[in-house]
Amino acid sequence: MRGMKNIFAGRWGIIGVGIIIGILAPLLQKLGNPGNMGICVACFERDIAGALGLHRAAVVQYIRPEIIGFVVGSLIAAYLFKEFRPRLGSAPIVRFFLGVFAMIGALVFLGCPWRAALRLAGGDGNAILGLLGLIFGIWIGTLFLKGGYTLGRTQPTQSAAGWMLPLLMVGLLLLLLVFPQIEGKEKSGVLFYSLKGPGSMYAPLVISLIVGLFIGFLAQRSRFCTMGAIRDFVLFRQMHLLSGFIALIVTAFIVNFILGQFKPGFAGQPVAHMIHIWNFAGMALSGLAFCLAGGCPGRQLFLSGEGDGDAAVFVIGMIVGAGIAHNFGLASSPAGVGPYSIPAVIIGIAVCLFIGFTMRKRIA
Amino acid sequence: MSKTVDARGLSCPQPVLMTLDEIKAGGADEIIVLVDSDASKENVSRAAEGKGWEVATITEETSEYHITIKKG
């Protein structure tokens, strides 16, 4: 195929990347990450928000090196292959709020699309509701796209603007190295740590960071995106990205099975609740927000690494959204949805619909 | 007849949607699509080929690509 010198852009490239993520995520769980949470972009950004004290949910506080690796790995790939293109200016404030509500929806379900896939691959039946919600939200988003929805054009900018989020990630890594967890202490320097709960469960720093860098590199090359996988199939009946997402799920299922991490059922699943309608609706909100913003939370990190300042604003929106979600009782827990989860999801869907109906072509 | 689709600065799926709209509109046997990211270049090429069009040339100008696709 002409113009396809990038081997990862081919069918086997994207499937290969899905397989690699499907192997590495359950292994990260084996090495210490929480249950069915080998990788979860939303949960890990939420943990970062907690480590910085943006919320004070004691059980979810840790600077996750995987997130740092995703951004920096993508940055390295982008520079190596001359794809680092600093750009911004496509409705950043709208992207910020899409990020906030994408996170709120994800925390009502308890996971992003990556974790929804990994939960399914670990036998968690509740993930089926989440994935159906995700598909529904993305489907709504595609209707807006067909109707001329756009956030407008980006403009090229200085390299420094493209470096902002990667530099933030390097800063977070430095904080993690300067203020490591002190045994039995909740605080180390400026960072908060969890003594119990998911925030206290993590694979060794170096391994998490290397895996993150590796996946960030591969995902930048292959344009891996869990939202795009479903969107492109709904819009164009195109299987390209979807084949990578399916490869991830099938591989993670096999690896979980081998590692003894496959436990089928609805009850007693790790970091999950069984309130089906809000599992569905939370992920529908997330899916709609991801679709309107043009990428799943992982893809937003990879885009940030290649210089996309608008994707970086979305990421910051997600981290702030995690702070809001936990400070104001919008996030779920294994006990069920939070006291204000339901109104938050309804408001979020209303905001996304407002954005979808009003941000239209021919203004840009 | 040749038509031009300017999808510079737009992120996917918009360049693909614009290209497919132009293909669907008919009347053109050659379409030049302007994009400014590698992901868009790959996506537009893939979508055009999926519709039976041929990617004739891709030229790189200062940080943008001009993709010429022709009716197969």
Side-chain angles (χ1 to χ4, degrees), chain A residues 189-256:
Chain A
V190 300
L191 293 184
F192 294 94
Y193 286 89
S194 297
L195 298 178
K196 56 185 172 62
S200 68
M201 303 164 76
Y202 48 84
L205 192 162
V206 176
I207 292 174
S208 292
L209 187 62
I210 290 172
V211 169
L213 286 167
F214 185 51
I215 292 177
F217 188 98
L218 292 177
Q220 194 282 332
R221 299 311 302 142
S222 64
R223 335 294 180 201
F224 183 86
C225 177
T226 59
M227 185 284 296
I230 296 165
R231 179 200 64 199
D232 287 355
F233 183 75
V234 173
L235 266 181
F236 312 124
R237 291 288 175 268
Q238 202 193 78
M239 284 294 293
H240 178 72
L241 288 172
L242 188 59
S243 58
F245 192 39
I246 292 172
L248 186 165
I249 297 175
V250 172
T251 311
F253 163 73
I254 295 167
V255 177
N256 274 328

Short mmCIF file of all heavy atoms in Angstrom, two decimals, chain A residues 189-256:
data_model
loop_
_atom_site.label_atom_id
_atom_site.label_comp_id
_atom_site.label_asym_id
_atom_site.label_seq_id
_atom_site.Cartn_x
_atom_site.Cartn_y
_atom_site.Cartn_z
N GLY A 189 7.10 13.66 51.64
CA GLY A 189 7.29 14.96 51.00
C GLY A 189 5.96 15.54 50.59
O GLY A 189 5.03 15.62 51.39
N VAL A 190 5.84 15.89 49.31
CA VAL A 190 4.59 16.49 48.84
C VAL A 190 3.59 15.44 48.34
O VAL A 190 2.48 15.77 47.96
CB VAL A 190 4.85 17.51 47.70
CG1 VAL A 190 5.75 18.63 48.19
CG2 VAL A 190 5.46 16.82 46.48
N LEU A 191 4.00 14.18 48.31
CA LEU A 191 3.15 13.15 47.71
C LEU A 191 2.36 12.36 48.75
O LEU A 191 2.84 12.10 49.85
CB LEU A 191 4.00 12.16 46.90
CG LEU A 191 4.67 12.71 45.64
CD1 LEU A 191 5.39 11.57 44.92
CD2 LEU A 191 3.68 13.39 44.71
N PHE A 192 1.16 11.99 48.38
CA PHE A 192 0.34 11.11 49.21
C PHE A 192 0.43 9.68 48.65
O PHE A 192 0.50 9.49 47.43
CB PHE A 192 -1.13 11.56 49.19
CG PHE A 192 -1.34 12.89 49.84
CD1 PHE A 192 -1.35 14.06 49.08
CD2 PHE A 192 -1.52 12.99 51.22
CE1 PHE A 192 -1.54 15.30 49.68
CE2 PHE A 192 -1.72 14.24 51.83
CZ PHE A 192 -1.73 15.39 51.05
N TYR A 193 0.44 8.73 49.57
CA TYR A 193 0.43 7.32 49.18
C TYR A 193 -0.72 6.60 49.89
O TYR A 193 -1.21 7.08 50.91
CB TYR A 193 1.76 6.66 49.58
CG TYR A 193 2.92 7.05 48.69
CD1 TYR A 193 3.70 8.16 48.97
CD2 TYR A 193 3.23 6.30 47.55
CE1 TYR A 193 4.77 8.51 48.15
CE2 TYR A 193 4.29 6.64 46.73
CZ TYR A 193 5.06 7.76 47.04
OH TYR A 193 6.11 8.10 46.22
N SER A 194 -1.12 5.47 49.32
CA SER A 194 -2.18 4.67 49.93
C SER A 194 -1.57 3.55 50.76
O SER A 194 -0.60 2.91 50.32
CB SER A 194 -3.07 4.06 48.84
OG SER A 194 -3.72 5.07 48.11
N LEU A 195 -2.14 3.32 51.92
CA LEU A 195 -1.67 2.22 52.75
C LEU A 195 -2.48 0.96 52.49
O LEU A 195 -2.05 -0.15 52.77
CB LEU A 195 -1.74 2.59 54.24
CG LEU A 195 -0.86 3.79 54.62
CD1 LEU A 195 -1.02 4.14 56.09
CD2 LEU A 195 0.61 3.51 54.30
N LYS A 196 -3.71 1.14 51.98
CA LYS A 196 -4.51 -0.02 51.56
C LYS A 196 -5.32 0.36 50.33
O LYS A 196 -5.32 1.53 49.92
CB LYS A 196 -5.42 -0.49 52.70
CG LYS A 196 -6.34 0.58 53.27
CD LYS A 196 -7.10 0.01 54.45
CE LYS A 196 -7.90 1.02 55.23
NZ LYS A 196 -8.96 1.70 54.52
N GLY A 197 -6.01 -0.62 49.77
CA GLY A 197 -6.81 -0.35 48.57
C GLY A 197 -5.97 -0.36 47.31
O GLY A 197 -4.76 -0.62 47.35
N PRO A 198 -6.61 -0.08 46.17
CA PRO A 198 -5.92 -0.17 44.88
C PRO A 198 -4.66 0.69 44.79
O PRO A 198 -3.67 0.29 44.17
CB PRO A 198 -6.97 0.33 43.87
CG PRO A 198 -8.27 0.30 44.57
CD PRO A 198 -8.01 0.32 46.04
N GLY A 199 -4.69 1.86 45.45
CA GLY A 199 -3.53 2.76 45.38
C GLY A 199 -2.29 2.18 46.02
O GLY A 199 -1.17 2.63 45.76
N SER A 200 -2.49 1.18 46.90
CA SER A 200 -1.33 0.57 47.56
C SER A 200 -0.78 -0.61 46.76
O SER A 200 0.21 -1.23 47.15
CB SER A 200 -1.73 0.08 48.96
OG SER A 200 -2.63 -1.01 48.85
N MET A 201 -1.46 -0.94 45.67
CA MET A 201 -1.05 -2.09 44.87
C MET A 201 -0.40 -1.63 43.59
O MET A 201 -1.04 -0.98 42.76
CB MET A 201 -2.28 -2.95 44.55
CG MET A 201 -3.03 -3.42 45.79
SD MET A 201 -4.69 -4.00 45.41
CE MET A 201 -4.29 -5.60 44.70
N TYR A 202 0.87 -1.92 43.45
CA TYR A 202 1.53 -1.53 42.21
C TYR A 202 2.74 -2.41 41.91
O TYR A 202 3.41 -2.91 42.81
CB TYR A 202 1.93 -0.05 42.24
CG TYR A 202 2.65 0.42 43.48
CD1 TYR A 202 4.02 0.26 43.62
CD2 TYR A 202 1.94 1.03 44.52
CE1 TYR A 202 4.68 0.72 44.75
CE2 TYR A 202 2.58 1.49 45.65
CZ TYR A 202 3.96 1.33 45.76
OH TYR A 202 4.60 1.78 46.89
N ALA A 203 2.97 -2.57 40.61
CA ALA A 203 4.15 -3.31 40.14
C ALA A 203 5.39 -2.46 40.42
O ALA A 203 5.27 -1.25 40.63
CB ALA A 203 4.00 -3.59 38.65
N PRO A 204 6.58 -3.08 40.44
CA PRO A 204 7.80 -2.30 40.69
C PRO A 204 7.92 -1.13 39.71
O PRO A 204 7.60 -1.26 38.53
CB PRO A 204 8.92 -3.31 40.46
CG PRO A 204 8.29 -4.64 40.72
CD PRO A 204 6.87 -4.51 40.29
N LEU A 205 8.37 0.01 40.24
CA LEU A 205 8.43 1.25 39.47
C LEU A 205 9.11 1.08 38.11
O LEU A 205 8.57 1.49 37.07
CB LEU A 205 9.16 2.31 40.30
CG LEU A 205 9.13 3.76 39.86
CD1 LEU A 205 9.50 4.67 41.00
CD2 LEU A 205 10.00 4.07 38.66
N VAL A 206 10.29 0.46 38.11
CA VAL A 206 11.06 0.37 36.87
C VAL A 206 10.30 -0.44 35.82
O VAL A 206 10.24 -0.06 34.65
CB VAL A 206 12.44 -0.28 37.14
CG1 VAL A 206 13.20 -0.47 35.85
CG2 VAL A 206 13.23 0.58 38.10
N ILE A 207 9.67 -1.52 36.25
CA ILE A 207 8.92 -2.36 35.32
C ILE A 207 7.73 -1.59 34.76
O ILE A 207 7.49 -1.56 33.55
CB ILE A 207 8.48 -3.67 36.00
CG1 ILE A 207 9.71 -4.52 36.31
CG2 ILE A 207 7.48 -4.43 35.13
CD1 ILE A 207 9.44 -5.76 37.11
N SER A 208 6.98 -0.92 35.66
CA SER A 208 5.82 -0.14 35.21
C SER A 208 6.25 0.91 34.20
O SER A 208 5.58 1.13 33.19
CB SER A 208 5.16 0.56 36.40
OG SER A 208 4.57 -0.38 37.26
N LEU A 209 7.36 1.57 34.47
CA LEU A 209 7.83 2.65 33.60
C LEU A 209 8.26 2.10 32.24
O LEU A 209 7.88 2.64 31.19
CB LEU A 209 9.00 3.39 34.28
CG LEU A 209 9.49 4.64 33.56
CD1 LEU A 209 8.40 5.68 33.47
CD2 LEU A 209 10.70 5.22 34.29
N ILE A 210 9.00 0.98 32.25
CA ILE A 210 9.47 0.42 30.98
C ILE A 210 8.29 -0.08 30.14
O ILE A 210 8.21 0.17 28.94
CB ILE A 210 10.50 -0.72 31.24
CG1 ILE A 210 11.79 -0.11 31.78
CG2 ILE A 210 10.77 -1.52 29.97
CD1 ILE A 210 12.82 -1.11 32.26
N VAL A 211 7.35 -0.76 30.79
CA VAL A 211 6.17 -1.23 30.06
C VAL A 211 5.41 -0.04 29.50
O VAL A 211 4.96 -0.04 28.34
CB VAL A 211 5.25 -2.09 30.98
CG1 VAL A 211 3.91 -2.33 30.33
CG2 VAL A 211 5.93 -3.41 31.31
N GLY A 212 5.27 1.01 30.30
CA GLY A 212 4.58 2.22 29.85
C GLY A 212 5.27 2.84 28.64
O GLY A 212 4.62 3.19 27.64
N LEU A 213 6.59 2.95 28.71
CA LEU A 213 7.35 3.52 27.59
C LEU A 213 7.18 2.67 26.33
O LEU A 213 6.97 3.20 25.22
CB LEU A 213 8.85 3.59 27.94
CG LEU A 213 9.26 4.67 28.94
CD1 LEU A 213 10.69 4.42 29.44
CD2 LEU A 213 9.18 6.06 28.30
N PHE A 214 7.24 1.36 26.50
CA PHE A 214 7.14 0.44 25.36
C PHE A 214 5.76 0.55 24.71
O PHE A 214 5.63 0.69 23.49
CB PHE A 214 7.40 -0.99 25.88
CG PHE A 214 7.45 -2.04 24.81
CD1 PHE A 214 8.27 -1.88 23.70
CD2 PHE A 214 6.69 -3.20 24.93
CE1 PHE A 214 8.31 -2.86 22.71
CE2 PHE A 214 6.74 -4.19 23.95
CZ PHE A 214 7.55 -4.01 22.84
N ILE A 215 4.71 0.54 25.54
CA ILE A 215 3.36 0.65 24.99
C ILE A 215 3.15 2.03 24.37
O ILE A 215 2.56 2.17 23.29
CB ILE A 215 2.29 0.35 26.07
CG1 ILE A 215 2.37 -1.12 26.47
CG2 ILE A 215 0.88 0.71 25.57
CD1 ILE A 215 1.42 -1.52 27.58
N GLY A 216 3.66 3.07 25.01
CA GLY A 216 3.54 4.43 24.46
C GLY A 216 4.18 4.51 23.09
O GLY A 216 3.62 5.11 22.16
N PHE A 217 5.34 3.90 22.95
CA PHE A 217 6.06 3.88 21.68
C PHE A 217 5.24 3.17 20.61
O PHE A 217 4.98 3.70 19.53
CB PHE A 217 7.41 3.19 21.88
CG PHE A 217 8.33 3.26 20.69
CD1 PHE A 217 9.34 4.22 20.64
CD2 PHE A 217 8.20 2.39 19.62
CE1 PHE A 217 10.19 4.30 19.55
CE2 PHE A 217 9.04 2.47 18.53
CZ PHE A 217 10.04 3.41 18.49
N LEU A 218 4.79 1.95 20.94
CA LEU A 218 4.04 1.14 19.97
C LEU A 218 2.70 1.79 19.61
O LEU A 218 2.29 1.78 18.44
CB LEU A 218 3.78 -0.25 20.54
CG LEU A 218 4.98 -1.15 20.72
CD1 LEU A 218 4.55 -2.46 21.36
CD2 LEU A 218 5.68 -1.41 19.39
N ALA A 219 2.06 2.37 20.61
CA ALA A 219 0.73 2.95 20.37
C ALA A 219 0.85 4.20 19.51
O ALA A 219 -0.05 4.50 18.71
CB ALA A 219 0.04 3.26 21.69
N GLN A 220 1.94 4.94 19.66
CA GLN A 220 2.12 6.12 18.79
C GLN A 220 2.28 5.66 17.35
O GLN A 220 1.69 6.25 16.43
CB GLN A 220 3.36 6.92 19.24
CG GLN A 220 3.44 8.33 18.64
CD GLN A 220 3.94 8.34 17.18
OE1 GLN A 220 4.68 7.46 16.76
NE2 GLN A 220 3.51 9.34 16.42
N ARG A 221 3.04 4.60 17.14
CA ARG A 221 3.27 4.12 15.78
C ARG A 221 2.00 3.55 15.15
O ARG A 221 1.75 3.71 13.96
CB ARG A 221 4.36 3.02 15.76
CG ARG A 221 5.72 3.40 16.25
CD ARG A 221 6.25 4.68 15.64
NE ARG A 221 6.32 4.63 14.19
CZ ARG A 221 6.04 5.66 13.39
NH1 ARG A 221 5.64 6.81 13.91
NH2 ARG A 221 6.13 5.56 12.09
N SER A 222 1.22 2.84 15.97
CA SER A 222 0.08 2.11 15.42
C SER A 222 -1.22 2.90 15.51
O SER A 222 -2.23 2.47 14.96
CB SER A 222 -0.09 0.78 16.17
OG SER A 222 -0.41 1.05 17.52
N ARG A 223 -1.22 4.04 16.22
CA ARG A 223 -2.44 4.86 16.44
C ARG A 223 -3.50 4.06 17.20
O ARG A 223 -4.70 4.22 16.96
CB ARG A 223 -3.05 5.37 15.13
CG ARG A 223 -2.14 5.52 13.93
CD ARG A 223 -1.12 6.57 14.12
NE ARG A 223 -0.24 6.69 12.92
CZ ARG A 223 0.96 7.24 12.96
NH1 ARG A 223 1.45 7.68 14.09
NH2 ARG A 223 1.69 7.34 11.88
N PHE A 224 -3.06 3.15 18.08
CA PHE A 224 -3.99 2.32 18.85
C PHE A 224 -4.99 3.21 19.59
O PHE A 224 -4.61 4.14 20.29
CB PHE A 224 -3.21 1.46 19.85
CG PHE A 224 -4.06 0.51 20.64
CD1 PHE A 224 -4.37 -0.74 20.13
CD2 PHE A 224 -4.56 0.87 21.88
CE1 PHE A 224 -5.17 -1.62 20.85
CE2 PHE A 224 -5.35 -0.01 22.60
CZ PHE A 224 -5.66 -1.24 22.08
N CYS A 225 -6.27 2.92 19.44
CA CYS A 225 -7.30 3.70 20.14
C CYS A 225 -8.53 2.84 20.34
O CYS A 225 -9.09 2.30 19.39
CB CYS A 225 -7.67 4.95 19.33
SG CYS A 225 -9.00 5.93 20.07
N THR A 226 -8.96 2.70 21.60
CA THR A 226 -10.10 1.84 21.90
C THR A 226 -11.41 2.48 21.48
O THR A 226 -12.34 1.80 21.06
CB THR A 226 -10.15 1.53 23.41
OG1 THR A 226 -10.26 2.76 24.13
CG2 THR A 226 -8.89 0.83 23.87
N MET A 227 -11.49 3.82 21.57
CA MET A 227 -12.70 4.51 21.12
C MET A 227 -12.77 4.48 19.60
O MET A 227 -13.81 4.16 19.01
CB MET A 227 -12.70 5.95 21.65
CG MET A 227 -13.96 6.75 21.35
SD MET A 227 -14.08 7.34 19.64
CE MET A 227 -12.69 8.45 19.57
N GLY A 228 -11.64 4.82 18.96
CA GLY A 228 -11.60 4.82 17.50
C GLY A 228 -11.96 3.46 16.93
O GLY A 228 -12.54 3.35 15.85
N ALA A 229 -11.59 2.39 17.67
CA ALA A 229 -11.90 1.03 17.23
C ALA A 229 -13.39 0.88 16.98
O ALA A 229 -13.83 0.40 15.93
CB ALA A 229 -11.43 0.03 18.29
N ILE A 230 -14.18 1.31 17.97
CA ILE A 230 -15.63 1.17 17.86
C ILE A 230 -16.20 2.21 16.90
O ILE A 230 -17.04 1.92 16.06
CB ILE A 230 -16.26 1.27 19.26
CG1 ILE A 230 -15.79 0.09 20.12
CG2 ILE A 230 -17.78 1.31 19.18
CD1 ILE A 230 -16.03 0.25 21.60
N ARG A 231 -15.68 3.45 16.99
CA ARG A 231 -16.18 4.54 16.15
C ARG A 231 -16.02 4.23 14.66
O ARG A 231 -16.96 4.38 13.87
CB ARG A 231 -15.42 5.83 16.47
CG ARG A 231 -15.85 7.01 15.63
CD ARG A 231 -14.77 8.09 15.65
NE ARG A 231 -13.52 7.61 15.04
CZ ARG A 231 -12.33 8.18 15.24
NH1 ARG A 231 -12.21 9.21 16.04
NH2 ARG A 231 -11.25 7.70 14.63
N ASP A 232 -14.81 3.77 14.28
CA ASP A 232 -14.56 3.51 12.86
C ASP A 232 -15.43 2.38 12.34
O ASP A 232 -15.82 2.37 11.17
CB ASP A 232 -13.08 3.20 12.62
CG ASP A 232 -12.22 4.46 12.74
OD1 ASP A 232 -12.80 5.55 12.91
OD2 ASP A 232 -10.99 4.34 12.68
N PHE A 233 -15.72 1.41 13.23
CA PHE A 233 -16.59 0.32 12.79
C PHE A 233 -18.01 0.83 12.59
O PHE A 233 -18.66 0.53 11.59
CB PHE A 233 -16.56 -0.84 13.79
CG PHE A 233 -17.38 -2.01 13.32
CD1 PHE A 233 -16.90 -2.83 12.31
CD2 PHE A 233 -18.63 -2.26 13.85
CE1 PHE A 233 -17.66 -3.90 11.84
CE2 PHE A 233 -19.40 -3.33 13.39
CZ PHE A 233 -18.91 -4.14 12.38
N VAL A 234 -18.49 1.65 13.53
CA VAL A 234 -19.85 2.18 13.43
C VAL A 234 -19.96 3.11 12.21
O VAL A 234 -20.91 3.03 11.44
CB VAL A 234 -20.22 2.94 14.72
CG1 VAL A 234 -21.57 3.65 14.57
CG2 VAL A 234 -20.26 1.99 15.91
N LEU A 235 -18.96 3.97 12.03
CA LEU A 235 -19.02 4.97 10.96
C LEU A 235 -18.78 4.38 9.58
O LEU A 235 -19.48 4.67 8.62
CB LEU A 235 -17.96 6.06 11.19
CG LEU A 235 -18.35 7.33 11.94
CD1 LEU A 235 -17.13 8.25 12.01
CD2 LEU A 235 -19.51 8.06 11.29
N PHE A 236 -17.72 3.57 9.47
CA PHE A 236 -17.25 3.13 8.14
C PHE A 236 -17.27 1.62 7.96
O PHE A 236 -16.82 1.13 6.94
CB PHE A 236 -15.79 3.59 7.90
CG PHE A 236 -15.52 5.02 8.22
CD1 PHE A 236 -14.52 5.37 9.12
CD2 PHE A 236 -16.25 6.04 7.63
CE1 PHE A 236 -14.25 6.71 9.42
CE2 PHE A 236 -15.98 7.37 7.91
CZ PHE A 236 -14.99 7.70 8.81
N ARG A 237 -17.73 0.88 8.98
CA ARG A 237 -17.62 -0.58 8.96
C ARG A 237 -16.16 -1.00 8.75
O ARG A 237 -15.85 -2.00 8.11
CB ARG A 237 -18.49 -1.20 7.85
CG ARG A 237 -19.98 -1.06 8.12
CD ARG A 237 -20.42 -1.99 9.24
NE ARG A 237 -21.82 -1.80 9.61
CZ ARG A 237 -22.26 -0.98 10.57
NH1 ARG A 237 -21.39 -0.24 11.26
NH2 ARG A 237 -23.52 -0.87 10.85
N GLN A 238 -15.25 -0.20 9.31
CA GLN A 238 -13.82 -0.49 9.13
C GLN A 238 -13.30 -1.24 10.35
O GLN A 238 -13.54 -0.84 11.49
CB GLN A 238 -13.08 0.84 8.98
CG GLN A 238 -11.76 0.69 8.28
CD GLN A 238 -10.92 1.94 8.42
OE1 GLN A 238 -10.32 2.17 9.45
NE2 GLN A 238 -10.91 2.75 7.37
N MET A 239 -12.59 -2.34 10.09
CA MET A 239 -12.17 -3.24 11.16
C MET A 239 -10.78 -2.94 11.70
O MET A 239 -10.32 -3.58 12.64
CB MET A 239 -12.18 -4.68 10.64
CG MET A 239 -13.54 -5.31 10.50
SD MET A 239 -14.34 -5.54 12.09
CE MET A 239 -13.26 -6.77 12.85
N HIS A 240 -10.08 -1.98 11.08
CA HIS A 240 -8.65 -1.81 11.36
C HIS A 240 -8.35 -1.69 12.86
O HIS A 240 -7.73 -2.57 13.46
CB HIS A 240 -8.10 -0.61 10.60
CG HIS A 240 -6.65 -0.36 10.87
ND1 HIS A 240 -5.66 -1.18 10.39
CD2 HIS A 240 -6.04 0.59 11.62
CE1 HIS A 240 -4.49 -0.73 10.81
NE2 HIS A 240 -4.70 0.34 11.55
N LEU A 241 -8.77 -0.58 13.49
CA LEU A 241 -8.47 -0.38 14.91
C LEU A 241 -9.18 -1.42 15.78
O LEU A 241 -8.65 -1.86 16.79
CB LEU A 241 -8.88 1.03 15.34
CG LEU A 241 -8.02 2.19 14.82
CD1 LEU A 241 -8.65 3.53 15.17
CD2 LEU A 241 -6.61 2.13 15.40
N LEU A 242 -10.39 -1.82 15.34
CA LEU A 242 -11.15 -2.79 16.12
C LEU A 242 -10.40 -4.12 16.24
O LEU A 242 -10.43 -4.77 17.28
CB LEU A 242 -12.53 -3.01 15.48
CG LEU A 242 -13.53 -3.85 16.28
CD1 LEU A 242 -13.81 -3.22 17.65
CD2 LEU A 242 -14.85 -4.02 15.53
N SER A 243 -9.69 -4.49 15.16
CA SER A 243 -8.95 -5.76 15.21
C SER A 243 -7.89 -5.71 16.31
O SER A 243 -7.62 -6.71 16.97
CB SER A 243 -8.34 -6.08 13.84
OG SER A 243 -7.49 -5.05 13.43
N GLY A 244 -7.29 -4.52 16.54
CA GLY A 244 -6.31 -4.38 17.62
C GLY A 244 -6.96 -4.50 18.98
O GLY A 244 -6.43 -5.15 19.89
N PHE A 245 -8.13 -3.87 19.14
CA PHE A 245 -8.83 -3.90 20.42
C PHE A 245 -9.28 -5.31 20.75
O PHE A 245 -9.14 -5.78 21.88
CB PHE A 245 -10.04 -2.93 20.34
CG PHE A 245 -10.69 -2.63 21.66
CD1 PHE A 245 -9.94 -2.46 22.81
CD2 PHE A 245 -12.07 -2.47 21.75
CE1 PHE A 245 -10.55 -2.16 24.04
CE2 PHE A 245 -12.69 -2.17 22.96
CZ PHE A 245 -11.93 -2.02 24.11
N ILE A 246 -9.80 -6.03 19.73
CA ILE A 246 -10.24 -7.42 19.94
C ILE A 246 -9.04 -8.30 20.27
O ILE A 246 -9.11 -9.16 21.16
CB ILE A 246 -11.02 -7.93 18.71
CG1 ILE A 246 -12.36 -7.17 18.60
CG2 ILE A 246 -11.27 -9.44 18.81
CD1 ILE A 246 -13.14 -7.44 17.32
N ALA A 247 -7.93 -8.05 19.58
CA ALA A 247 -6.71 -8.83 19.86
C ALA A 247 -6.29 -8.65 21.32
O ALA A 247 -5.87 -9.60 21.99
CB ALA A 247 -5.59 -8.40 18.92
N LEU A 248 -6.43 -7.43 21.82
CA LEU A 248 -6.09 -7.15 23.23
C LEU A 248 -6.96 -8.00 24.16
O LEU A 248 -6.45 -8.67 25.06
CB LEU A 248 -6.31 -5.66 23.52
CG LEU A 248 -5.88 -5.09 24.89
CD1 LEU A 248 -5.84 -3.56 24.82
CD2 LEU A 248 -6.75 -5.50 26.05
N ILE A 249 -8.27 -7.99 23.91
CA ILE A 249 -9.20 -8.70 24.81
C ILE A 249 -8.92 -10.21 24.79
O ILE A 249 -8.81 -10.85 25.83
CB ILE A 249 -10.67 -8.40 24.42
CG1 ILE A 249 -10.97 -6.91 24.60
CG2 ILE A 249 -11.64 -9.25 25.25
CD1 ILE A 249 -12.36 -6.49 24.13
N VAL A 250 -8.78 -10.76 23.57
CA VAL A 250 -8.58 -12.22 23.44
C VAL A 250 -7.26 -12.62 24.11
O VAL A 250 -7.20 -13.60 24.87
CB VAL A 250 -8.61 -12.64 21.96
CG1 VAL A 250 -8.21 -14.09 21.80
CG2 VAL A 250 -9.99 -12.39 21.36
N THR A 251 -6.21 -11.84 23.85
CA THR A 251 -4.90 -12.18 24.42
C THR A 251 -4.93 -12.06 25.95
O THR A 251 -4.42 -12.94 26.65
CB THR A 251 -3.82 -11.25 23.86
OG1 THR A 251 -3.93 -11.20 22.46
CG2 THR A 251 -2.43 -11.74 24.25
N ALA A 252 -5.53 -10.97 26.45
CA ALA A 252 -5.58 -10.78 27.90
C ALA A 252 -6.36 -11.91 28.56
O ALA A 252 -6.00 -12.38 29.65
CB ALA A 252 -6.21 -9.43 28.24
N PHE A 253 -7.42 -12.38 27.88
CA PHE A 253 -8.20 -13.51 28.40
C PHE A 253 -7.31 -14.75 28.52
O PHE A 253 -7.28 -15.42 29.56
CB PHE A 253 -9.40 -13.77 27.48
CG PHE A 253 -10.03 -15.11 27.68
CD1 PHE A 253 -10.80 -15.37 28.80
CD2 PHE A 253 -9.84 -16.13 26.75
CE1 PHE A 253 -11.37 -16.62 29.00
CE2 PHE A 253 -10.41 -17.37 26.93
CZ PHE A 253 -11.17 -17.63 28.06
N ILE A 254 -6.56 -15.04 27.47
CA ILE A 254 -5.69 -16.23 27.49
C ILE A 254 -4.63 -16.10 28.58
O ILE A 254 -4.39 -17.03 29.36
CB ILE A 254 -5.03 -16.43 26.10
CG1 ILE A 254 -6.11 -16.74 25.05
CG2 ILE A 254 -3.98 -17.53 26.15
CD1 ILE A 254 -5.62 -16.64 23.62
N VAL A 255 -4.00 -14.91 28.65
CA VAL A 255 -2.93 -14.72 29.64
C VAL A 255 -3.50 -14.79 31.06
O VAL A 255 -2.90 -15.41 31.96
CB VAL A 255 -2.18 -13.39 29.39
CG1 VAL A 255 -1.11 -13.16 30.46
CG2 VAL A 255 -1.55 -13.39 28.00
N ASN A 256 -4.66 -14.19 31.28
CA ASN A 256 -5.31 -14.28 32.60
C ASN A 256 -5.58 -15.73 32.97
O ASN A 256 -5.40 -16.14 34.11
CB ASN A 256 -6.64 -13.50 32.59
CG ASN A 256 -6.44 -12.03 32.90
OD1 ASN A 256 -5.54 -11.66 33.64
ND2 ASN A 256 -7.29 -11.19 32.33
#
